[in-house]
Amino acid sequence: TGRKSRATPDFLAEMKQAVQTNPLTLGYGFSNWSAARLAAHLAKKTGIGFSEDQMIRLLHDHGFSVHRPKHTLKGKRDETAYQKAKAELAVLKKTP
């Protein structure tokens, strides 16, 4: 019931294709989609604009999960130096 969605089948197909594509390959300067960025991309591509909240709802309705990426340095840092610095820091910290 209710008003018919403005998300046409062509829009949904474009959304599904864009979500599964790395934004870097499309010429953007970021590597993860946010709902706002995806909405802006799709508005430019299809001419149909949605708010960030509506984009999240559409993504969930079509089986996509929306999460913030967890940025860590694990695997990019020198693990032995990290462990050594962590041990030195533990010694330097005040004890209760």
Side-chain angles (χ1 to χ4, degrees):
T1 62
R3 182 177 168 186
K4 185 178 176 185
S5 176
R6 293 181 299 128
T8 63
D10 291 337
F11 178 88
L12 295 174
E14 189 68 41
M15 178 187 75
K16 290 175 185 178
Q17 180 183 2
V19 167
Q20 296 172 356
T21 304
N22 188 334
L24 291 172
T25 62
L26 298 174
Y28 291 107
F30 49 87
S31 60
N32 291 316
W33 288 113
S34 68
R37 289 173 174 170
L38 182 61
H41 169 73
L42 292 172
K44 184 171 71 172
K45 192 109 169 156
T46 65
I48 302 171
F50 285 99
S51 69
E52 183 177 353
D53 292 336
Q54 286 291 72
M55 185 56 59
I56 290 171
R57 183 189 57 79
L58 281 172
L59 289 166
H60 279 278
D61 289 349
H62 292 279
F64 293 101
S65 178
V66 179
H67 296 284
R68 292 188 64 146
K70 183 177 180 181
H71 299 288
T72 66
L73 294 176
K74 193 169 188 168
K76 297 179 183 178
R77 63 184 172 209
D78 181 3
E79 287 298 322
T80 55
Y82 171 75
Q83 293 300 331
K84 182 181 175 187
K86 187 176 177 182
E88 289 175 7
L89 184 60
V91 170
L92 295 174
K93 284 186 176 180
K94 292 181 182 178
T95 55

